[in-house]
Amino acid sequence: MPVWAAKELTGWGRVLRSTAQVARPERLREVSEHVSGPHASLLARGHGRSYGDAALNHGGHVLLKSR
């Protein structure tokens, strides 16, 4: 079962902030479990090195792919 936790995220410039439900899958098979859930909005996030809000999803779900 996917584990989601509330976390504050920022872009690379750390100007904009957003709180979202975040999950960080350890294995490739866990990615499909996270993606197939009933989420209104889901964003895949890399290392968060975008200027502005491209890697933020306030109030939604974010799948951390930094591993």
Side-chain angles (χ1 to χ4, degrees):
M1 183 56 129
V3 176
W4 297 94
K7 183 175 180 178
E8 184 178 74
L9 302 172
T10 64
W12 197 5
R14 293 188 174 93
V15 174
L16 299 174
R17 298 182 182 280
S18 173
T19 301
Q21 293 294 315
V22 175
R24 188 175 189 179
E26 297 289 326
R27 305 275 186 260
L28 183 58
R29 69 178 172 346
E30 294 175 7
V31 173
S32 64
E33 294 173 12
H34 287 79
V35 173
S36 64
H39 314 300
S41 64
L42 177 68
L43 176 72
R45 177 185 170 101
H47 288 283
R49 294 185 179 145
S50 64
Y51 291 104
D53 63 354
L56 306 177
N57 191 12
H58 185 71
H61 288 79
V62 177
L63 192 62
L64 299 179
K65 298 300 299 159
S66 56
R67 288 188 183 220

